[in-house]
């Protein structure tokens, strides 16, 4: 139940990505007077340059991969030469058409979200916002810099949701043509002959996987000894196997010292002196929060050393009426988390019922092929003694449906509390693992035991049958 105010509560939101969008909608739902300031487009980087474009590109990569994979199921593709001899056609991707679709889809999604805000009664200002103390936001609009053509919004509550931008290294400056950040990939008209991806975290791995499946030669440069540092190491090992099998070159323990243009491509120098030449280089070396120059310090908002805004579990900053949601804050950089933080912030500010954010229960997915989905505690934390848990891993190779579909790589792994059998986490590596993880996410959120999970009927044959099979195998004999 929202508090009754004599006048409507005024909420100002800076940034229209998932965090800001959801904060604005929540405010409108609770009857506040909401203004959102956005400099690029509603939907934010998530919709315009990051999540939506990358996952749309990956949908094409998946479709391209399914064609040769169908051969393993006995499907034959051939055409006939003039002489009537069967020949196998090549799978080719028209990247210009793919990227046109990607950008069109992102634009449409942004427009749909803008229309939704307008429908809810949110006022949208296109411009650059900054705090002016604790209770106001000033906006420089298209007319020029601050002070020339600007709006001032007085607000009871302010939500900062300015997101993050690709990290750029001085020795590897993106030029938008050959040396690219992930936001610049969609101008490519042709598939890169040889794409060198620097950085093997989630973003690097997703693009390396996608371009490999689109048909490009790919080299992945990783400073660690395994791709996906910090993720489940069995999952990372499967991905490395799949990457190598697909023809990708993996350079582990290799730090890129510099990237420069050559006459017709790029040269990546590694810190051990080796050099690799390619046609293009994608820099995927992390993000920096967009928190500079927007009046945070002046308003007394505390930042971490990395420049992220320090928030508590209801997204409140060190200034009580200022909240921060999404990648500019010091929590997990995921769109799903940004949405949740935006809503939680406004519900908290307006006195509605809130559940403080439980990061332990966040589900996330790496959109490689196969996908890697995770929830809850991870194996390393259990092995390090941070959580008391049993670990059970069931390879998909024993699953009947996986055999039928010729799925060779993947597993279901469940972590359950020692003694009680309560599910505390899990990992699924499989095609569309993002869709399969949800039963484990429910189990973690609602503290179900492995026996309770095992009691649910999974369809036979189905990949989700491996979840109930794994849960059944973890039964503690009473
Ligand atoms: C390649 C890639 C793929 C990803 N895939 C996924 C995925 O599959 N699933 C997932 O959950 N997450 C994914 N993420 C993470 C996800 O993109 C972010 O967590 C999400 O965008 C965070 O939302 P946000 O609202 O904090 O910020 P953003 O989406 O970055 O939006 C912030 C907005 O604020 C605006 N802004 C900034 N400063 C100002 C200012 N001063 N005034 C006005 N406007 C301003 C920006 O223009 C931007 O539009 C991916 C990230 C990358 C890089």
């Amino acid at each position: 139940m929202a508090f009754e105010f004599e006048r409507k509560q005024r909420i100002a939101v800076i940034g229209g990505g998932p965090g800001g969008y959801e904060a604005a909608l929540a405010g409108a739902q609770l009857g506040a007077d909401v203004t959102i300031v956005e400099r690029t487009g509603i939907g934010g980087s998530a919709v315009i340059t990051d999540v939506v474009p990358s996952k749309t590109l990956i949908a094409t990569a998946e479709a391209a991969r399914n064609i040769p994979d169908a051969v393993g199921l006995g499907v034959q593709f051939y055409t006939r030469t003039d002489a009537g001899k069967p020949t196998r056609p090549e799978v080719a991707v028209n990247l210009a058409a793919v990227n046109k679709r990607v950008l069109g889809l992102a634009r449409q999604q942004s427009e749909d979200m803008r229309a939704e805000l307008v429908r809810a009664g949110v006022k949208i200002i296109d411009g650059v916002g900054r705090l002016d103390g604790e209770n106001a936001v000033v906006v420089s609009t298209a007319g020029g810099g601050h002070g020339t053509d600007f709006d001032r919004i007085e607000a009871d509550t302010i939500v900062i949701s300015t997101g993050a931008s690709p990290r750029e290294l001085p020795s590897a400056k993106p030029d938008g043509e050959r040396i690219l950040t992930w936001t610049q990939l969609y101008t490519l008209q042709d598939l890169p002959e040889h794409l060198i991806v620097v950085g093997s975290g989630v973003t690097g791995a997703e693009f390396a996987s996608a371009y490999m499946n689109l048909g490009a030669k790919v080299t992945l440069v990783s400073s660690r000894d395994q791709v996906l540092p910090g993720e489940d190491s069995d999952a990372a090992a499967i991905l490395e196997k799949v990457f190598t099998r697909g023809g990708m070159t993996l350079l582990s323990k290799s730090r890129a010292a510099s990237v420069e243009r050559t006459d017709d491509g790029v040269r990546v120098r590694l810190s051990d002196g080796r050099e690799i030449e390619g046609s293009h280089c994608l820099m995927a070396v992390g993000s920096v929060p967009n928190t500079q120059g927007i009046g945070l310090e002046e308003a007394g908002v505390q930042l971490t050393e990395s420049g992220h805004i320090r928030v508590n579990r209801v997204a409140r900053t060190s200034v009580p009426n200022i909240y921060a949601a999404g990648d500019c804050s010091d929590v997990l950089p995921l769109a799903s988390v940004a949405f949740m933080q935006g809503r939680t912030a406004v519900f908290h500010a307006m006195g509605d019922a809130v559940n403080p954010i439980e990061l332990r229960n966040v589900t996330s997915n790496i959109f490689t092929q196969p996908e890697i989905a995770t929830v809850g505690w991870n194996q390393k934390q259990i092995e390090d003694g941070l959580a008391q848990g049993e670990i059970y891993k069931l390879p998909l190779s024993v699953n009947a449906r996986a055999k039928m579909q010729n799925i060779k790589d993947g597993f279901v792994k469940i972590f359950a509390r020692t003694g009680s059998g309560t599910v505390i986490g899990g990992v699924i590596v499989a095609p569309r693992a993002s869709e399969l993880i949800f039963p484990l996410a429910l189990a973690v959120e609602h503290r179900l035991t492995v026996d309770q999970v095992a009691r649910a009927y999974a369809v036979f044959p189905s990949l989700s049958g491996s979840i109930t099979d794994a849960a059944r195998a973890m039964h503690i004999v009473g």
Side-chain angles (χ1 to χ4, degrees):
M1 196 42 203
F3 287 148
E4 292 295 329
F5 288 90
E6 280 188 13
R7 61 164 168 74
K8 276 188 165 187
Q9 251 227 68
R10 298 161 309 175
I11 299 178
V13 181
I14 309 181
Y21 171 81
E22 194 65 17
L25 276 188
Q29 186 183 18
L30 297 186
D33 184 353
V34 186
T35 305
I36 189 166
V37 184
E38 168 55 53
R39 64 181 183 192
T40 313
I42 297 296
S45 312
V47 167
I48 294 165
T49 54
D50 298 357
V51 189
V52 170
S54 64
K55 265 81 256 188
T56 310
L57 181 83
I58 286 167
T60 299
E62 223 176 84
R65 181 71 246 164
N66 287 343
I67 298 172
D69 279 356
V71 173
L73 301 173
V75 178
Q76 293 185 342
F77 302 98
Y78 60 86
T79 59
R80 289 192 188 275
T81 61
D82 290 345
K85 202 170 158 250
T87 66
R88 190 175 286 180
E90 282 178 18
V91 177
V93 166
N94 177 346
L95 198 67
V98 172
N99 282 341
K100 193 167 168 225
R101 173 172 184 267
V102 167
L103 295 175
L105 200 148
R107 205 175 315 114
Q108 186 59 54
Q109 179 68 15
S110 171
E111 282 166 17
D112 289 350
M113 290 172 78
R114 189 181 184 95
E116 186 62 23
L117 288 179
V118 171
R119 202 193 50 76
V122 173
K123 185 176 173 205
I124 303 172
I125 301 181
D126 299 320
V128 178
R130 73 187 303 277
L131 288 177
D132 188 13
E134 296 173 19
N135 287 102
V137 170
V138 286
V139 188
S140 58
T141 49
H146 295 292
T148 52
D149 181 8
F150 67 91
D151 286 304
R152 184 183 167 82
I153 311 157
E154 305 286 341
D156 305 296
T157 298
I158 296 174
V159 181
I160 312 288
S161 190
T162 48
S165 304
R167 181 185 303 283
E168 292 185 9
L169 307 178
S171 56
K173 272 268 175 231
D175 62 4
E177 286 181 2
R178 296 280 178 174
I179 307 172
L180 305 157
T181 68
W182 60 79
T183 67
Q184 297 167 331
L185 284 169
Y186 306 102
T187 55
L188 291 178
Q189 297 297 300
D190 299 301
L191 204 59
E193 259 170 55
H194 178 190
L195 178 68
I196 302 171
V197 179
V198 174
S200 69
V202 175
T203 300
E206 285 187 356
F207 281 114
S209 171
Y211 278 95
M212 179 182 87
N213 290 323
L214 289 169
K217 175 173 182 236
V218 176
T219 298
L220 181 58
V221 180
S222 167
S223 59
R224 308 292 187 82
D225 52 3
Q226 200 173 32
V227 299
L228 296 174
E231 300 291 335
D232 185 90
S233 65
D234 290 332
I238 287 201
L239 205 60
E240 287 196 348
K241 190 172 78 179
V242 172
F243 281 176
T244 311
R245 198 167 63 209
M248 192 186 298
T249 305
L250 291 181
L251 299 176
S252 57
K253 292 193 193 152
S254 303
R255 192 169 285 278
S258 68
V259 184
E260 61 191 21
R261 285 281 295 255
T262 58
D263 289 344
D264 55 355
V266 293
R267 183 181 301 117
V268 177
R269 277 205 180 85
L270 304 181
S271 48
D272 62 9
R274 278 180 297 164
E275 290 184 352
I276 328 154
E277 302 231 339
S279 64
H280 296 77
C281 176
L282 167 65
M283 297 300 296
V285 290
S287 302
V288 286
N290 300 326
T291 51
Q292 294 304 305
I294 54 169
L296 291 167
E297 292 91 340
E298 296 85 334
V301 175
Q302 270 182 19
L303 302 178
T304 64
E305 258 176 42
S306 57
H308 292 87
I309 302 171
R310 228 181 260 286
V311 291
N312 66 12
R313 288 177 59 207
V314 293
R316 197 180 213 175
T317 71
S318 52
V319 178
N321 70 310
I322 301 181
Y323 292 77
D327 287 10
C328 64
S329 73
D330 63 342
V331 298
L332 282 177
L334 286 173
S336 48
V337 174
F339 278 120
M340 190 67 89
Q341 272 185 304
R343 176 156 290 264
T344 303
V346 166
F347 273 32
H348 185 262
M350 295 193 66
D352 207 290
V354 281
N355 289 325
I357 287 166
E358 184 53 87
L359 289 176
R360 176 73 46 222
N361 296 356
V362 171
T363 309
S364 62
N365 190 61
I366 303 170
F367 290 82
T368 43
Q369 277 178 270
E371 294 181 358
I372 300 170
T374 52
V375 62
W377 292 94
N378 64 43
Q379 181 158 345
K380 176 143 192 335
Q381 290 165 329
I382 293 169
E383 285 168 352
D384 289 350
L386 297 173
Q388 293 281 302
E390 307 296 323
I391 300 165
Y392 187 82
K393 183 176 124 188
L394 186 61
L396 282 186
S397 54
V398 299
N399 179 297
R401 189 90 190 273
K403 285 180 192 146
M404 295 165 197
Q405 295 178 334
N406 204 23
I407 297 169
K408 298 196 179 76
D409 310 295
F411 60 78
V412 168
K413 197 189 267 191
I414 297 181
F415 311 125
R417 183 84 62 202
T418 308
S420 67
T422 308
V423 178
I424 56 169
V427 182
I428 298 184
V429 180
R432 300 282 156 92
S434 50
E435 312 287 353
L436 288 171
I437 194 77
F438 193 59
L440 288 183
L442 276 179
V444 170
E445 177 71 35
H446 298 290
R447 299 188 163 78
L448 302 183
T449 64
V450 283
D451 286 344
Q452 286 169 317
V453 171
R455 224 174 287 146
Y457 285 91
V459 167
F460 181 83
S462 68
L463 295 189
S464 54
S466 285
I467 299 174
T468 46
D469 285 351
R472 200 170 298 128
M474 296 182 89
H475 171 70
I476 302 161
V477 180

